Amino acid sequence: MGNSKKTNHTINLHIGMRNIKTALAATLCALLYFPFSRNPTFACIGAVFGMGSDMEASQLHGGNRLFGTAIGGFIGMFLFHIYIKFYPNGEKHPIILLLLFVGIVILILISQNVWPGAVQPGSVVLCIILFNTPVETYISYSLNRILDTGIGVLVALIVNYFLPRERLIKWLEVCHLRKPEIEIEISE
């Protein structure tokens, strides 16, 4: 029979500060939407993508998501509007492939000059609008997606602003959820 090697895998189950802040930001988004019976999915996604290890990283990642969603959403609305002039029922025709190609080129050109990290999230939104959004809802879908993403990113920025790592560590120590960090001074 063959050689079978037994390998030991260890699983690292560490809950860090960013984990807690990310979960808090997503939960706050869902809580904000609760009274309005509005779906919080894209706000929660915006919060998760918008959470960075610090405020600078949050601004970068949140900006990528927000600007990408906005740029891709507006380009998608414009191109889909052109498309349904020729195919009012939204039935799929190969011409949509040309619009996708043009849309991604435009998205990249705009992103290069506005926010370079917007390309990937903008392309996702563009593809969803062109291939997966009903004719009746493509405008409301796009605008809601931009709004919800903005709310999620804003919540992530607020959480990261009010709970920087240092403040969160102290809070967890006070609640006895983390052992106090001990600083040892070594003198020469």
Side-chain angles (χ1 to χ4, degrees):
M1 306 252 83
N3 256 348
S4 66
K5 291 184 179 181
K6 210 175 198 182
T7 58
N8 292 328
H9 293 284
T10 55
I11 298 172
N12 182 9
L13 298 176
H14 170 72
I15 298 174
M17 300 304 128
R18 186 172 172 190
N19 302 59
I20 292 169
K21 292 191 298 186
T22 302
L24 178 62
T27 303
L28 286 173
C29 283
L31 179 65
L32 281 172
Y33 279 63
F34 218 77
F36 303 105
S37 297
R38 184 176 166 93
N39 188 329
T41 301
F42 293 112
C44 293
I45 292 169
V48 170
F49 275 88
M51 183 56 66
S53 55
D54 57 21
M55 195 63 179
E56 186 177 320
S58 282
Q59 290 170 335
L60 175 65
H61 299 303
N64 290 348
R65 188 72 181 186
L66 180 59
F67 285 108
T69 300
I71 295 167
F74 287 118
I75 292 171
M77 280 190 289
F78 174 73
L79 293 174
F80 199 69
H81 178 75
I82 292 171
Y83 184 73
I84 61 174
K85 291 289 183 190
F86 298 101
Y87 304 97
N89 294 330
E91 64 271 13
K92 297 302 175 221
H93 187 274
I95 194 79
I96 202 160
L97 302 174
L98 176 62
L99 293 174
L100 174 66
F101 182 88
V102 169
I104 290 179
V105 169
I106 293 169
L107 177 97
I108 291 169
L109 291 173
I110 292 172
S111 296
Q112 286 173 337
N113 291 291
V114 174
W115 197 278
V119 173
Q120 289 85 357
S123 296
V124 169
V125 174
L126 176 64
C127 289
I128 290 171
I129 293 168
L130 291 179
F131 296 114
N132 204 37
T133 307
V135 172
E136 310 79 43
T137 60
Y138 79 98
I139 292 175
S140 63
Y141 171 84
S142 303
L143 295 175
N144 282 317
R145 181 91 186 252
I146 293 166
L147 174 68
D148 294 339
T149 298
I151 289 170
V153 168
L154 181 63
V155 169
L157 291 172
I158 290 169
V159 167
N160 222 350
Y161 178 80
F162 284 108
L163 293 176
R165 180 176 177 77
E166 303 76 31
R167 186 177 295 152
L168 190 56
I169 287 173
K170 287 179 185 174
W171 182 78
L172 290 172
E173 289 171 357
V174 167
C175 295
H176 302 289
L177 297 171
R178 181 183 170 104
K179 292 180 183 178
E181 292 183 4
I182 300 171
E183 291 184 30
I184 300 174
E185 208 173 291
I186 301 173
S187 57
E188 292 181 41

